[in-house]
Amino acid sequence: MPPNEDDSDPRTVVYNGVAVPTTAPEEGRDYRSEFEAGTSGELRREVRRGDDVVVVGGGRGITTVVGARMTRSDGSVTTFEANSEMLETLRRTVRVNRVANHVTLEHAAVGPISEQAESVFGPGDGERVAPSALPSCDVLELDCEGSEVAVLEGMNCRPRVVIVETHEPLGVPPGDVAPILEARGYEITNRTPAGMHGELTVLTAVRQQGGSGSTP
């Protein structure tokens, strides 16, 4: 589908190889190849063609687009975003990057919403979804600004791969997240620094052979 006039707004910026149409000018930020590099890099390594991917915390849509590109047209991405204004940016992002046909956007928060998340992304004015209601998927990516533990403890799905951006400044260090994943039958295969100053950590966890899950 060709982009409409809004999609071709000259204020579009590029984050980690993904074009993001902005709702307001962003002076001096026409290109940030390092933005979301930790989660995007892990998605590029772990997502296979035909995978079903779930993203919790859509933000500007960078990881949604990366996941959709990696699944090709044979897979799908379902993204949960709690804030309505951010959801509109996300919707435009998937449209301008031509992946909308296999992306589903849910205006919803999974688990609790932290004050930090609302201060950065705006009020969580979407539906509330219990972690236990997350759909089955092959790859789950969490970037939920401090709600990672609640989501991991409450979810019933068993993806092949779980990618979690942990937020130590918000009281959720990787040392709190890794044991939950390991107790659920996952092996931590990678730890990647993230954030503007390396203050965050992206954990990649792969379900161990013989563990239960949505993918044999």
mmCIF file of all heavy atoms in Angstrom, residues 16-39:
data_model
loop_
_atom_site.group_PDB
_atom_site.id
_atom_site.type_symbol
_atom_site.label_atom_id
_atom_site.label_comp_id
_atom_site.label_asym_id
_atom_site.label_seq_id
_atom_site.Cartn_x
_atom_site.Cartn_y
_atom_site.Cartn_z
ATOM 1 N N ASN A 16 17.359 3.241 14.161
ATOM 2 C CA ASN A 16 17.833 1.866 13.989
ATOM 3 C C ASN A 16 17.286 1.238 12.726
ATOM 4 O O ASN A 16 16.818 0.113 12.703
ATOM 5 C CB ASN A 16 17.466 1.023 15.213
ATOM 6 C CG ASN A 16 18.363 -0.194 15.353
ATOM 7 O OD1 ASN A 16 17.972 -1.276 14.964
ATOM 8 N ND2 ASN A 16 19.547 -0.011 15.868
ATOM 9 N N GLY A 17 17.301 2.017 11.643
ATOM 10 C CA GLY A 17 16.885 1.496 10.348
ATOM 11 C C GLY A 17 15.391 1.472 10.121
ATOM 12 O O GLY A 17 14.928 0.935 9.121
ATOM 13 N N VAL A 18 14.599 2.077 11.038
ATOM 14 C CA VAL A 18 13.141 2.095 10.913
ATOM 15 C C VAL A 18 12.663 3.535 10.824
ATOM 16 O O VAL A 18 12.966 4.347 11.700
ATOM 17 C CB VAL A 18 12.469 1.397 12.117
ATOM 18 C CG1 VAL A 18 10.954 1.505 12.036
ATOM 19 C CG2 VAL A 18 12.892 -0.064 12.186
ATOM 20 N N ALA A 19 11.918 3.870 9.768
ATOM 21 C CA ALA A 19 11.382 5.212 9.614
ATOM 22 C C ALA A 19 10.217 5.414 10.567
ATOM 23 O O ALA A 19 9.305 4.596 10.620
ATOM 24 C CB ALA A 19 10.920 5.428 8.172
ATOM 25 N N VAL A 20 10.254 6.507 11.327
ATOM 26 C CA VAL A 20 9.196 6.802 12.290
ATOM 27 C C VAL A 20 8.619 8.177 11.994
ATOM 28 O O VAL A 20 9.266 9.190 12.230
ATOM 29 C CB VAL A 20 9.732 6.761 13.740
ATOM 30 C CG1 VAL A 20 8.615 7.098 14.727
ATOM 31 C CG2 VAL A 20 10.331 5.406 14.048
ATOM 32 N N PRO A 21 7.393 8.254 11.465
ATOM 33 C CA PRO A 21 6.755 9.552 11.249
ATOM 34 C C PRO A 21 6.429 10.185 12.592
ATOM 35 O O PRO A 21 5.748 9.589 13.424
ATOM 36 C CB PRO A 21 5.472 9.204 10.487
ATOM 37 C CG PRO A 21 5.650 7.799 10.009
ATOM 38 C CD PRO A 21 6.559 7.140 11.013
ATOM 39 N N THR A 22 6.917 11.381 12.831
ATOM 40 C CA THR A 22 6.714 12.030 14.119
ATOM 41 C C THR A 22 5.486 12.924 14.086
ATOM 42 O O THR A 22 5.032 13.355 13.032
ATOM 43 C CB THR A 22 7.935 12.884 14.489
ATOM 44 O OG1 THR A 22 8.139 13.863 13.475
ATOM 45 C CG2 THR A 22 9.182 12.033 14.614
ATOM 46 N N THR A 23 4.961 13.206 15.261
ATOM 47 C CA THR A 23 3.826 14.119 15.369
ATOM 48 C C THR A 23 4.273 15.539 15.641
ATOM 49 O O THR A 23 3.469 16.447 15.665
ATOM 50 C CB THR A 23 2.881 13.657 16.497
ATOM 51 O OG1 THR A 23 3.642 13.552 17.704
ATOM 52 C CG2 THR A 23 2.281 12.305 16.168
ATOM 53 N N ALA A 24 5.551 15.734 15.870
ATOM 54 C CA ALA A 24 6.115 17.074 16.066
ATOM 55 C C ALA A 24 7.574 17.022 15.628
ATOM 56 O O ALA A 24 8.203 15.969 15.671
ATOM 57 C CB ALA A 24 6.024 17.486 17.537
ATOM 58 N N PRO A 25 8.142 18.152 15.154
ATOM 59 C CA PRO A 25 9.536 18.137 14.707
ATOM 60 C C PRO A 25 10.483 17.721 15.831
ATOM 61 O O PRO A 25 10.261 18.022 16.994
ATOM 62 C CB PRO A 25 9.784 19.599 14.305
ATOM 63 C CG PRO A 25 8.425 20.169 14.073
ATOM 64 C CD PRO A 25 7.510 19.461 15.013
ATOM 65 N N GLU A 26 11.526 17.005 15.481
ATOM 66 C CA GLU A 26 12.560 16.609 16.434
ATOM 67 C C GLU A 26 13.887 17.147 15.924
ATOM 68 O O GLU A 26 14.564 16.511 15.122
ATOM 69 C CB GLU A 26 12.600 15.091 16.593
ATOM 70 C CG GLU A 26 11.320 14.517 17.184
ATOM 71 C CD GLU A 26 11.473 13.059 17.579
ATOM 72 O OE1 GLU A 26 12.594 12.523 17.430
ATOM 73 O OE2 GLU A 26 10.498 12.480 18.041
ATOM 74 N N GLU A 27 14.248 18.331 16.373
ATOM 75 C CA GLU A 27 15.440 18.997 15.871
ATOM 76 C C GLU A 27 16.693 18.179 16.168
ATOM 77 O O GLU A 27 16.892 17.699 17.285
ATOM 78 C CB GLU A 27 15.573 20.384 16.522
ATOM 79 C CG GLU A 27 14.438 21.337 16.168
ATOM 80 C CD GLU A 27 14.419 21.694 14.684
ATOM 81 O OE1 GLU A 27 15.495 21.635 14.055
ATOM 82 O OE2 GLU A 27 13.335 22.018 14.180
ATOM 83 N N GLY A 28 17.521 18.011 15.146
ATOM 84 C CA GLY A 28 18.803 17.347 15.323
ATOM 85 C C GLY A 28 18.724 15.850 15.532
ATOM 86 O O GLY A 28 19.707 15.226 15.930
ATOM 87 N N ARG A 29 17.568 15.248 15.281
ATOM 88 C CA ARG A 29 17.431 13.801 15.503
ATOM 89 C C ARG A 29 16.952 13.140 14.222
ATOM 90 O O ARG A 29 15.948 12.446 14.203
ATOM 91 C CB ARG A 29 16.469 13.530 16.651
ATOM 92 C CG ARG A 29 16.963 14.049 17.982
ATOM 93 C CD ARG A 29 15.941 13.818 19.081
ATOM 94 N NE ARG A 29 15.778 12.407 19.377
ATOM 95 C CZ ARG A 29 14.910 11.959 20.270
ATOM 96 N NH1 ARG A 29 14.126 12.799 20.925
ATOM 97 N NH2 ARG A 29 14.799 10.665 20.500
ATOM 98 N N ASP A 30 17.664 13.375 13.153
ATOM 99 C CA ASP A 30 17.241 12.818 11.878
ATOM 100 C C ASP A 30 17.701 11.371 11.697
ATOM 101 O O ASP A 30 17.184 10.668 10.845
ATOM 102 C CB ASP A 30 17.756 13.672 10.717
ATOM 103 C CG ASP A 30 19.269 13.786 10.692
ATOM 104 O OD1 ASP A 30 19.894 13.618 11.759
ATOM 105 O OD2 ASP A 30 19.809 14.054 9.614
ATOM 106 N N TYR A 31 18.629 10.922 12.549
ATOM 107 C CA TYR A 31 19.097 9.544 12.400
ATOM 108 C C TYR A 31 19.741 9.078 13.698
ATOM 109 O O TYR A 31 20.680 9.697 14.187
ATOM 110 C CB TYR A 31 20.112 9.440 11.266
ATOM 111 C CG TYR A 31 20.495 8.004 10.944
ATOM 112 C CD1 TYR A 31 19.669 7.203 10.186
ATOM 113 C CD2 TYR A 31 21.678 7.464 11.445
ATOM 114 C CE1 TYR A 31 20.008 5.886 9.911
ATOM 115 C CE2 TYR A 31 22.021 6.152 11.176
ATOM 116 C CZ TYR A 31 21.180 5.367 10.409
ATOM 117 O OH TYR A 31 21.507 4.067 10.146
ATOM 118 N N ARG A 32 19.234 7.982 14.271
ATOM 119 C CA ARG A 32 19.815 7.422 15.500
ATOM 120 C C ARG A 32 19.908 5.921 15.345
ATOM 121 O O ARG A 32 19.004 5.180 15.707
ATOM 122 C CB ARG A 32 18.967 7.798 16.712
ATOM 123 C CG ARG A 32 19.128 9.254 17.132
ATOM 124 C CD ARG A 32 18.361 9.526 18.401
ATOM 125 N NE ARG A 32 18.749 8.608 19.471
ATOM 126 C CZ ARG A 32 18.103 8.514 20.621
ATOM 127 N NH1 ARG A 32 17.050 9.263 20.848
ATOM 128 N NH2 ARG A 32 18.502 7.659 21.535
ATOM 129 N N SER A 33 20.995 5.483 14.783
ATOM 130 C CA SER A 33 21.143 4.055 14.495
ATOM 131 C C SER A 33 21.238 3.215 15.763
ATOM 132 O O SER A 33 20.998 2.002 15.719
ATOM 133 C CB SER A 33 22.381 3.816 13.634
ATOM 134 O OG SER A 33 23.546 4.283 14.313
ATOM 135 N N GLU A 34 21.572 3.839 16.900
ATOM 136 C CA GLU A 34 21.720 3.063 18.129
ATOM 137 C C GLU A 34 20.414 2.903 18.888
ATOM 138 O O GLU A 34 20.335 2.113 19.828
ATOM 139 C CB GLU A 34 22.760 3.737 19.044
ATOM 140 C CG GLU A 34 22.257 4.950 19.829
ATOM 141 C CD GLU A 34 22.136 6.219 18.993
ATOM 142 O OE1 GLU A 34 22.448 6.182 17.793
ATOM 143 O OE2 GLU A 34 21.728 7.247 19.561
ATOM 144 N N PHE A 35 19.355 3.601 18.485
ATOM 145 C CA PHE A 35 18.112 3.563 19.244
ATOM 146 C C PHE A 35 17.476 2.176 19.163
ATOM 147 O O PHE A 35 17.290 1.635 18.084
ATOM 148 C CB PHE A 35 17.145 4.622 18.706
ATOM 149 C CG PHE A 35 15.932 4.827 19.578
ATOM 150 C CD1 PHE A 35 16.005 5.611 20.716
ATOM 151 C CD2 PHE A 35 14.732 4.227 19.264
ATOM 152 C CE1 PHE A 35 14.907 5.807 21.518
ATOM 153 C CE2 PHE A 35 13.619 4.419 20.056
ATOM 154 C CZ PHE A 35 13.707 5.200 21.193
ATOM 155 N N GLU A 36 17.146 1.608 20.333
ATOM 156 C CA GLU A 36 16.580 0.258 20.424
ATOM 157 C C GLU A 36 17.497 -0.799 19.803
ATOM 158 O O GLU A 36 17.037 -1.861 19.354
ATOM 159 C CB GLU A 36 15.194 0.184 19.754
ATOM 160 C CG GLU A 36 14.155 1.111 20.357
ATOM 161 C CD GLU A 36 13.624 0.613 21.692
ATOM 162 O OE1 GLU A 36 14.196 -0.350 22.234
ATOM 163 O OE2 GLU A 36 12.660 1.180 22.190
ATOM 164 N N ALA A 37 18.800 -0.517 19.790
ATOM 165 C CA ALA A 37 19.725 -1.456 19.152
ATOM 166 C C ALA A 37 19.772 -2.796 19.883
ATOM 167 O O ALA A 37 19.920 -3.851 19.257
ATOM 168 C CB ALA A 37 21.126 -0.847 19.082
ATOM 169 N N GLY A 38 19.631 -2.766 21.216
ATOM 170 C CA GLY A 38 19.705 -4.017 21.963
ATOM 171 C C GLY A 38 18.581 -4.970 21.622
ATOM 172 O O GLY A 38 18.817 -6.119 21.226
ATOM 173 N N THR A 39 17.335 -4.499 21.750
ATOM 174 C CA THR A 39 16.196 -5.370 21.453
ATOM 175 C C THR A 39 16.098 -5.670 19.964
ATOM 176 O O THR A 39 15.814 -6.809 19.573
ATOM 177 C CB THR A 39 14.890 -4.729 21.950
ATOM 178 O OG1 THR A 39 14.860 -3.351 21.555
ATOM 179 C CG2 THR A 39 14.768 -4.817 23.458
#
